[in-house]
Amino acid sequence: MFGKTIRFILEENKVIFNFENGQGWIEIINPWIINVFSPLKYDNHYSRAIEGVSAEKCNFEVNETDKFIEIKTEQVSVRVSDNFYVDFYDKNGEPICLDYKGDREPFVRRGNVSIAEAEGHRVETNADSHKIEVVKKMFGDENFYGFGDKTGHLNKRNYSYEMWNTDDPSPHVESYKSLYKSIPFFVTLNKGKAFGIFFDNTFKTYFDMGKENSDYYYFGAEDGNLDYYFIAGPDFKDVIGRYTYLTGKTPMPQLWTLGYHQCRWSYAPEGRLKEVAKAFRDNDIPCDALYLDIDYMDGFRVFTWDKERFPNPKETLTKLREEGFKVVTIIDPGVKKDKGYSIYEEGLKNNYFATDKDGVPYVNAVWPGDSLYPDFSEARVREWWSDNQKIMMEDGVAGIWNDMNEPASFNGPLPDDVQFGNDGRPTDHREVHNVYGHLMSKSSYEGIKKHTEKRPFVITRACYAGTQKYSTVWTGDNQSLWEHLRMSVPMLLNLGLSGLSFAGTDVGGFGFDCTGELLSRWIQVGCFSPLFRNHSSIHTRDQEPWAFDKQTLDINKKYIKLRYKLLPYLYDLMWQGERTGLPVMRPLVLHYSQDEQTYNINDEFLFGENILVAPVVEQGKSFKAVYLPEGEWIDFWTGQTHKGKDTILKNAPLDTCPIYIKAGSIIPSYPEQKYIGEKVIDELTLNIYPGKSEYIHYEDDGESFDYKKGKYNLYKFTMENNKNITIGLNFLNEGYSKKYKNFRFIINNVKARQICFNGESINFNISNGSTEFVLKAEEGKLNII
Ligand code: GLC
């Protein structure tokens, strides 16, 4: 397409090429991140994902040979040849990622499509070529991860996907090409070496990962610029760190958002909401958040209350808050077309809505019937929407749930030619569709931040790359099916690898009727999902923890309580995530990428680096084959130690989720609480699993942005386990005034004979083969003999 290279010039970090049929450039963002660009639509980047990142000053060389022009950073070399072929090599000259120079050649399909379609089959056809297309050579051992919320398995090799935010509530199955989110990013792992590609294009994009032909994989787009980032590894974790350097990291959430959330379509009228709140306390089940779905509104008009169902929302929400419950309300984008309704009137008056090609506000239908779509691609509309958050915040709402923002529409899809202002570059729906939810949640985030000055809690269904900076996500309308529980694990893992660490599924399943057994198993995955929310659809059977039998209630209680104990560990993971971009839920392959056994594990995951969770995701099953990677792993329930690089069989009756702790772990925990903040926590428990390790624990006020000004504490623990166990305690930062008074140590599987702290001997107890003692929270050195 581009033809022969005519000349190239160097401009700061860019090498700009003129080809016979167009222009392209290579830009060095830093030694690991290289941008490949051609201005096919706009003359420069127009990114909704990358904000405030620009090319860094760094050393690189440009050399011309007969066949190519080579651009070499300290980490990678890029060879550019005719046709704007771009090949990446590592610093030793080994090929990492090469353009495929032949023509696409789909595997053979035979027969008549229409005969199959006559019976209603959805028939796959070979994809046409796309306006923009980059075809890469397959070496043969590639595994692919990422892509956001795609269905199916963890490893995306041999499958194809599309990025087009889609609300399709029929049961999500493996053959779905797209769901609610568009994250055009993937990691390739080839023999233990990883690199990433981020294709920053918001039009409909296509990814074929060796399905069409196993000699190549490709990505393409319907329109827009050719604009992708090659992200070098070779370490898998570094690729995620670099991708989130570009698109942003999940910021620290308020601590309560990591508690248990209960949702339902719908808790209304308010008596039902209060009843649910009371049932949590009566049943002694911790809970921090209750949700109001669409029925709290007056005729589904956003930013209003149904005055009959919720006569005094402020008072109700204040009372609930006193009992430890935060209330999150749904806000959809669709604004009811309704004379006299202030949001509609304001929107109309100020031209805040997307229009048809003649400039008339575009109408489709969602819950309220005829509705209009705010044009979130315009800053002035985002500001208006931001300000509207105040209406909810003033009534005591603690967080905003943005749904239906693909955007969904009940009268057929939005036509391609619906018009959007696009911050000064007017465009149509084709370009805005995939970022509509992203821009809506950004605007919600900014509004909540402005009006509360706390870390905003926004939860969104649709998103694009980079939404992690503004919102948590859930995986939309799953169903109460075992297959959906099974699929939730790889889906959450791939979301995490795609930057969206703060994610969860509707625990128990949204559509269809749940069973006690399914909820019992789902809660065991939910316990380790950063967003831990049970939600179900209108008219399905009740699905709260107590809605089934005593056994289900007890199992729910056990895992929700375990979650509350693990909160400081989870909060530490969020803190690490804000620095490193690493997700909370991680596939084993992220940490053990040299071990091929981990490449396709769909039903186990790491919760941080130290806890391995192997949930049972099949009905009626009471055991589980668990693969433990290298090292030693301690059974969380029995204390038994297992050597890794082996598969073990674990008995897992319904109340048991197999959990293993890595030897050499320090896991902080809190006492049980009914809700976050119920107790003043001045004693931190440290669960020690002896081995060599270092652990940093983070503490702050759990809600404000003061941590950005240094108001936080960091406690560093350094453990050695030679003849004796020694643990060093150091305070790395002491910016937050409410510090722990004590540390309670539990040294698992160790019967100590003597313990000294800074040379002084300490009293201790031994129970169940472990040693327990309390220390004043001071710096020093602990010796356990
Ligand atoms: C959509 C959402 C679901 C919500 C329902 C009603 O289906 O995905 O979570 O309960 O709309 O608002």
Side-chain angles (χ1 to χ4, degrees), residues 265 293-294 330 367 401 403-404 461 474 477 510 535:
W265 179 9
D293 206 325
I294 49 175
I330 198 166
W367 306 120
W401 172 20
D403 187 25
M404 309 294 277
R461 192 169 72 176
W474 94 106
D477 296 346
F510 177 71
H535 181 37

Side-chain angles (χ1 to χ4, degrees), residues 2-150:
F2 285 90
K4 289 213 174 317
T5 315
I6 299 181
R7 64 175 167 276
F8 67 91
I9 53 159
L10 188 62
E11 229 176 57
E12 296 182 354
N13 277 30
K14 270 185 206 164
V15 185
I16 303 172
F17 294 86
N18 278 335
F19 298 100
E20 278 170 332
N21 310 319
Q23 201 187 55
W25 72 62
I26 302 291
E27 185 173 18
I28 317 294
I29 306 298
N30 67 27
W32 296 270
I33 306 179
I34 314 291
N35 177 237
V36 179
F37 187 91
S38 174
L40 300 178
K41 187 171 183 80
Y42 298 120
D43 55 9
N44 215 322
H45 297 282
Y46 193 46
S47 183
R48 294 297 193 172
I50 303 176
E51 296 173 85
V53 177
S54 45
E56 296 167 21
K57 261 205 157 23
C58 62
N59 295 329
F60 64 94
E61 283 170 23
V62 182
N63 296 308
E64 191 173 356
T65 72
D66 285 354
K67 297 206 174 88
F68 52 80
I69 287 106
E70 184 171 55
I71 305 155
K72 246 182 158 167
T73 75
E74 279 155 17
Q75 300 298 330
V76 285
S77 89
V78 190
R79 293 181 192 168
V80 181
S81 45
D82 291 348
N83 279 318
F84 202 16
Y85 283 134
V86 185
D87 298 329
F88 297 90
Y89 292 77
D90 70 12
K91 57 183 170 199
N92 305 318
E94 293 292 322
I96 322 175
C97 169
L98 309 183
D99 271 349
Y100 182 77
K101 297 220 148 82
D103 291 329
R104 278 174 51 195
E105 259 183 279
F107 285 145
V108 176
R109 297 177 190 273
R110 294 176 205 273
N112 183 341
V113 174
S114 52
I115 190 89
E117 281 175 344
E119 201 197 348
H121 293 282
R122 259 175 48 186
V123 181
E124 289 250 334
T125 49
N126 294 327
D128 298 334
S129 56
H130 311 287
K131 185 166 173 198
I132 299 171
E133 203 165 83
V134 179
V135 188
K136 295 286 181 189
K137 176 183 160 67
M138 191 91 102
F139 291 92
D141 287 306
E142 284 88 349
N143 303 277
F144 300 108
Y145 307 97
F147 296 115
D149 64 346
K150 300 295 177 260

Side-chain angles (χ1 to χ4, degrees), residues 331-549:
I331 293 282
D332 293 340
V335 172
K336 186 176 170 74
K337 184 176 176 198
D338 176 28
K339 260 199 154 65
Y341 163 40
S342 62
I343 302 288
Y344 167 71
E345 296 286 358
E346 260 173 58
L348 211 55
K349 192 172 102 205
N350 296 297
N351 299 326
Y352 287 155
F353 298 118
T355 68
D356 66 14
K357 58 180 185 323
D358 302 320
V360 178
Y362 171 76
V363 181
N364 200 309
V366 266
W367 306 120
D370 279 358
S371 303
L372 292 89
Y373 293 80
D375 180 358
F376 293 118
S377 72
E378 284 276 88
R380 60 193 186 93
V381 181
R382 294 197 294 276
E383 265 163 43
W384 169 58
W385 200 260
S386 272
D387 284 340
N388 289 336
Q389 310 304 311
K390 194 172 158 198
I391 303 170
M392 306 313 292
M393 298 300 125
E394 282 179 346
D395 282 333
V397 167
I400 292 291
W401 172 20
N402 287 154
D403 187 25
M404 309 294 277
N405 49 1
E406 291 69 33
S409 49
F410 297 166
N411 275 344
L414 269 68
D416 283 354
D417 62 3
V418 171
Q419 302 295 304
F420 292 85
N422 207 24
D423 286 337
R425 291 194 205 208
T427 189
D428 59 35
H429 179 230
R430 296 172 313 132
E431 184 172 357
V432 173
H433 180 87
N434 282 343
V435 285
Y436 192 79
H438 170 76
L439 296 168
M440 179 190 192
S441 40
K442 176 177 168 156
S443 133
S444 304
Y445 174 94
E446 282 163 357
I448 301 174
K449 185 171 176 188
K450 188 162 140 205
H451 297 300
T452 65
E453 291 179 5
K454 289 186 182 159
R455 306 171 203 166
F457 180 65
V458 181
I459 160 172
T460 183
R461 192 169 72 176
C463 72
Y464 183 68
T467 303
Q468 64 268 18
K469 299 185 285 275
Y470 307 114
S471 184
T472 175
V473 295
W474 94 106
T475 58
D477 296 346
N478 60 4
Q479 303 216 353
S480 300
L481 304 172
W482 286 92
E483 179 51 23
H484 281 192
L485 169 59
R486 190 204 62 68
M487 199 163 69
S488 74
V489 176
M491 198 182 268
L492 288 173
L493 296 176
N494 275 320
L495 275 168
L497 296 176
S498 310
L500 293 150
S501 173
F502 198 175
T505 62
D506 283 349
V507 169
F510 177 71
F512 201 53
D513 284 339
C514 193
T515 66
E517 185 188 349
L518 181 57
L519 182 62
S520 300
R521 288 303 190 188
W522 214 314
I523 207 87
Q524 298 173 20
V525 175
C527 172
F528 300 98
S529 313
L531 175 73
F532 186 12
R533 185 182 82 151
N534 174 325
H535 181 37
S536 53
S537 182
I538 197 163
H539 205 64
T540 57
R541 281 197 327 224
D542 277 6
Q543 197 172 288
E544 292 78 18
W546 53 84
F548 298 88
D549 44 43

Side-chain angles (χ1 to χ4, degrees), residues 318-338:
T318 309
K319 272 220 175 92
L320 283 170
R321 208 174 262 252
E322 282 160 13
E323 290 156 25
F325 293 99
K326 311 280 194 296
V327 172
V328 177
T329 50
I330 198 166
I331 293 282
D332 293 340
V335 172
K336 186 176 170 74
K337 184 176 176 198
D338 176 28

Side-chain angles (χ1 to χ4, degrees), residues 189 192 236-237 587-599 606 608-610 612 627-633 645 662:
L189 181 71
F236 202 148
K237 299 187 287 302
L588 271 61
V589 61
L590 184 66
H591 283 283
Y592 300 92
S593 40
Q594 303 310 318
D595 178 356
E596 289 188 13
Q597 299 257 34
T598 64
Y599 291 5
L606 294 165
E609 199 179 339
N610 304 78
L612 185 149
Y627 180 72
L628 297 170
E630 75 181 359
E632 276 189 357
W633 296 87
K645 264 200 164 267
K662 195 169 147 189

